[in-house]
């Protein structure tokens, strides 16, 4: 025969779970713009999920919702940075981020975070032209992925190399495995051999830091 005390306990757990998840769902559907507010709002709702439930049911649910809200917070922050830097062209960058997984093997949030990490330098070199900056930023992200796929280099190392280039630090140039060492002279050699300057200017170890970042991306 069934143990009616166990059945009653399961019914109670189910009732608390249904009520709690319903409240959590309502909270998620009505998320405020602030991610921190969202965390508090959903966190309060999730407390009722745990009421009367066993730990083995509650823990995965709470962990899942917490991870979802963290992703929401990361996305909100990434979009905020893009909107601040790219202004009227922000929608282009965000749109590019949505297809980044297929084109560059990175998530949309990672795409926007990487773009944000060097976009100020790109914009400076382009005189604040956000349309062109969005194009060069996308090219840089896709090139990073292509390099990683061709040479098997960890994408994180390549991303850090590009971030260094944006700051005039070329010590990680050899991370790209293109046959150039990590020095200013070697970056100058890469730029000259790439032909992006069309022979109008010769890059040297002394002036390579003055070359706009968009030109380095093209090289």
């Amino acid at each position: 025969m069934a143990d009616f005390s166990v059945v009653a306990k399961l019914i109670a757990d189910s009732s608390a779970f249904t009520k709690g998840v319903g409240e959590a769902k309502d909270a998620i559907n009505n998320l405020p713009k602030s991610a921190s507010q969202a965390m508090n709002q959903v966190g309060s709702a999730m407390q009722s999920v745990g009421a009367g439930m066993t730990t083995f049911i509650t823990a995965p649910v709470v962990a899942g919702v917490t991870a979802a809200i963290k992703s929401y917070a990361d996305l909100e922050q990434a979009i905020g940075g893009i909107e601040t830097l790219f202004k009227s062209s922000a929608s282009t960058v965000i749109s590019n981020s949505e297809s980044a997984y297929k084109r560059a093997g990175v998530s949309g949030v990672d795409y926007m975070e990487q773009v944000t990490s060097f976009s100020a330098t790109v914009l400076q070199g382009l005189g604040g032209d956000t349309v062109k900056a969005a194009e060069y930023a996308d090219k840089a992200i896709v090139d990073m992925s292509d390099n990683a796929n061709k040479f098997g280099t960890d994408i994180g190392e390549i991303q850090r190399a590009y971030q260094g280039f944006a700051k005039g630090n070329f010590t990680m140039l050899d991370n790209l495995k293109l046959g150039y060492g990590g020095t200013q002279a070697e970056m100058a050699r890469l730029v000259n051999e790439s032909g992006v300057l069309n022979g109008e200017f010769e890059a040297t170890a002394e002036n390579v830091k003055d070359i706009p970042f968009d030109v380095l991306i093209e090289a």
Side-chain angles (χ1 to χ4, degrees), residues 53-218:
M53 290 179 61
T54 54
T55 302
F56 81 93
I57 295 177
T58 306
V61 173
V62 174
V65 172
T66 299
I69 298 306
K70 182 181 184 302
S71 295
Y72 173 85
D74 290 343
L75 177 61
E76 182 186 59
Q77 185 175 37
I79 290 175
I82 293 299
E83 290 177 338
T84 298
L85 289 163
F86 287 87
K87 299 178 174 61
S88 61
S89 298
S91 59
T92 299
V93 180
I94 294 171
S95 178
N96 288 339
S97 76
E98 293 172 351
S99 61
Y101 183 77
K102 295 180 180 179
R103 298 183 302 111
V106 296
S107 70
V109 170
D110 189 32
Y111 177 98
M112 288 187 282
E113 288 176 344
Q114 287 301 315
V115 169
T116 300
S117 71
F118 58 70
S119 58
T121 306
V122 177
L123 284 163
Q124 182 179 14
L126 292 169
D129 188 328
T130 57
V131 174
K132 287 186 178 180
E135 293 176 2
Y136 276 103
D138 187 66
K139 180 177 180 61
I141 300 296
V142 174
D143 284 350
M144 290 182 206
S145 176
D146 288 345
N147 185 280
N149 291 333
K150 288 177 182 177
F151 300 106
T153 308
D154 179 81
I155 187 67
E157 292 185 11
I158 298 174
Q159 291 171 342
R160 286 189 287 276
Y162 269 71
Q163 290 168 7
F165 302 159
K167 299 175 182 177
N169 181 351
F170 308 115
T171 57
M172 290 182 283
L173 177 58
D174 55 349
N175 284 6
L176 275 58
K177 299 181 180 178
L178 298 175
Y180 299 91
T183 66
Q184 292 180 201
E186 285 290 270
M187 176 56 89
R189 183 166 73 89
L190 183 155
V191 171
N192 290 327
E193 293 181 354
S194 71
V196 295
L197 298 177
N198 299 314
E200 298 175 1
F201 177 79
E202 182 179 358
T204 66
E206 290 70 33
N207 65 27
V208 70
K209 286 188 175 183
D210 299 325
I211 295 176
F213 187 45
D214 58 284
V215 175
L216 297 182
I217 291 174
E218 192 66 38

